[in-house]
Amino acid sequence: MKITKPVRHVAALVTSTVMAAALQISTAHGATPADQVQPIAWSTFGTYSAGDAAGQRVKKVLADESRYLIGPNYAGKYTSYMPDGYLNLGGTDEAAVRYPAMTALSVSAALKLGAYNPVDLSAANATIRDVNLIRTISARHKANNTDSTSAWGYGWQTSLWAYYDGMAAWLMWDKLSATDRDRVVNMLVAEANRFTTGNDVYLIGTSGSQLYMTRKDGTVVSAGDSKVEENQWSAALLGLTTAIMPNHPQAAGWKARHAQLLVAATAGPADLTDTSTVDGIKLSTWLQGSNIGDDGTVINHGIVHPIYMILDQGLDEAASAGLANTCAPVAAKRNIDSVYDALVDKKYPTSSGGTKTIYQPGSANIFYPQGNDWGTTFAGYFGGFDNLVSLYGVDNLATTKAATWAELHDNAQIALQARYTDGHTYASSAENSYGGREQRIGVIYGLSYLSLWLNKNSVGNKTCWS
C-alpha cells in the first residue's frame, strides 16, 4: 500500500535488448507467447455455495465493492479510448495502473466465482469493462509498448501491478483475444525475469534495493522500513507466473527465486541461526538479514505498524498455486503465526501508562501503538487477513482464534458499505488516505473469496503447501 516512495527503475538490468531476448524465448519455433500458458482447468473444480458464515460475509463485501468498482467508479474514470482502441488510463503511475489492475482482479473474481451482483450493471457489460481494463493495462506495459508517454513497468512496485492484472487475465482467459493473451504473457515474463538476477542480498542484480531491513551484522539497511511487503509482492508475481507457465524455459529460475523471496520476506533474527531447511533453502546459510521482530512486530513508516502486519500477500500464494492444481511454498506462511499473535496477544504501552493489545477483545476496534499515518478505518484490511489466517490455521499461537476476529472485522466492513447504496466503503480520505482505498477493499475480498472457494470446494480442498 506504500505510495510515498518514487517508482525506481533499474535501467541497467531491464534494457530493451535484454527484455527482447527474454521474450523471444516464448516465441521460438513459431510459438506465440500465450502458447506457454496453462489455462485454469475449471473442469477439475467443483462449486462453492458460500453457505457458511465466513463465505456469506466475504461474498457480500466482494459483491458490493465489485459492483461499485466496475459500475460508477469505472464510468467516472474511464471515459475515453486512445486511437489504438485501448482505454485512456490517464498516466503511467500507481493511480493510473495499480488501481484499475486491482479493480480488474476484484471484478474477475466476482464474475468467475459467482459473487457478482448485477443489480446496477449486467454481468455481460461488467465483463466487457473488466476485459477492457485487463487488456489495456498489459498493452501499456513496456514489454509491449515503446511509447514513453503511456508505458509503465520495471519499477519498484510494478511487479505487484502486473500480478493483479495477470491474475485477472488468467481468471478471464477465455474472454481475451489471442493478441491480448500474448501481451499479458509478455508483461508477466518481463517483470518476472528481473528478479532472477538477484541474490541473497539484493532484490534485483547486485546493487540497489536489498532484501532486508537489518543485516546479519546488525547494520540497519533501511531504517524504519521493513522489506516484508516488497519481497512478498515480488514473490507473488513469480508465484503467479510459474503457476500460469509451469513449462516455460524460465520457470525453474522463477520458482527458485520465488522461494528465496518468501523466505527473506518474513525472516526474523532467530532465523539467522536456524539450521532448518525451508523449500530447499537452509535458513542460517542463505539468509543475510531480517525483516520482522522475533516477537512478530513489523516496523514500517518508522513505527510498529499494524497495517504492515497484515501479511495477506503471503497467504494468497495458496490461491495462485491452487488454481494450477499445485501446492504453494510453505515459506509463504512462515512466521505469520508469530505476526498474528502480535496482533492478538502482545501488549503494547499506551500513553496513559497502561497496556493494550492491537486487536481489542470483543470489538472490531484496532489499537495502533504508535499511531496510524494512513487514517482511522481499516476493518476490511484486517477482516480479509483474519479469514485467510483462519483458513490456513496460522492462528495456532493466538489465544482468540482468527475466525472470531474475522466475524468482528467483516461485520464492521459490511456496516461501512451499508452507509451507501452503490456498495462502496469509505466516506473520505480521513478514514483511509490511500488513493486506491476502494480498489484495495475489492482486491482483499476478491482474493479472500477465491481462497474460500478453493478451500471449501465441493470436490475437496484445492489448496496445499509444499
Side-chain angles (χ1 to χ4, degrees), residues 56-73 106-107 110 114-121 410 413-425 438-439 441-443 445-446:
Q56 290 174 11
R57 296 191 308 268
V58 173
K59 183 177 181 180
K60 178 169 177 52
V61 175
L62 175 60
D64 283 343
E65 195 69 51
S66 62
R67 72 179 172 90
Y68 166 73
L69 291 173
I70 206 65
N73 183 263
S106 307
V107 175
Y116 181 70
N117 183 353
V119 64
D120 301 314
L121 183 72
D410 286 345
Q413 167 61 33
I414 290 168
L416 292 172
Q417 289 174 297
R419 299 179 296 179
Y420 310 104
T421 60
D422 62 4
H424 80 277
T425 297
E438 299 294 342
Q439 294 88 344
I441 292 295
V443 83
Y445 278 87

Side-chain angles (χ1 to χ4, degrees), residues 77-272:
K77 289 181 181 292
Y78 307 109
T79 58
S80 64
Y81 287 84
M82 302 300 284
D84 60 2
Y86 289 101
L87 290 172
N88 179 1
L89 295 176
T92 62
D93 61 2
E94 181 174 359
V97 183
R98 179 181 174 179
Y99 297 2
M102 289 193 288
T103 292
L105 178 48
S106 307
V107 175
S108 294
L111 287 167
K112 208 67 181 182
L113 305 179
Y116 181 70
N117 183 353
V119 64
D120 301 314
L121 183 72
S122 70
N125 285 330
T127 298
I128 291 170
R129 290 182 175 185
D130 188 35
V131 169
N132 268 339
L133 291 175
I134 293 168
R135 63 190 293 269
T136 297
I137 292 164
S138 59
R140 292 296 178 245
H141 190 273
K142 289 179 180 179
N144 300 306
N145 179 20
T146 58
D147 181 355
S148 62
T149 64
S150 63
W152 68 275
Y154 313 143
W156 167 66
Q157 196 190 73
T158 57
S159 59
L160 178 62
W161 311 350
Y163 162 77
Y164 288 141
D165 193 54
M167 177 67 96
W170 199 26
L171 288 168
M172 303 297 286
W173 200 247
D174 61 325
K175 304 297 183 183
L176 300 180
S177 72
T179 297
D180 291 327
R181 290 176 179 182
D182 285 346
R183 288 173 175 165
V184 169
V185 171
N186 290 344
M187 170 188 71
L188 292 174
V189 171
E191 288 285 340
N193 280 348
R194 296 187 303 146
F195 298 105
T196 59
T197 66
N199 55 31
D200 58 353
V201 174
Y202 294 100
L203 181 63
I204 296 172
T206 56
S207 63
S209 296
Q210 297 193 26
L211 299 178
Y212 312 102
M213 181 173 74
T214 306
R215 293 286 296 275
K216 250 183 181 178
D217 63 4
T219 301
V220 178
V221 178
S222 183
D225 182 17
S226 168
K227 298 303 174 185
V228 175
E229 189 183 33
E230 288 94 324
N231 290 340
Q232 282 193 335
W233 76 47
S234 302
L237 182 278
L238 289 166
L240 175 67
T241 307
T242 305
I244 290 177
M245 294 175 277
N247 299 315
H248 191 282
Q250 304 299 319
W254 301 334
K255 183 177 181 180
R257 190 58 171 164
H258 181 214
Q260 291 173 354
L261 294 185
L262 289 172
V263 165
T266 55
D271 292 323
L272 303 181

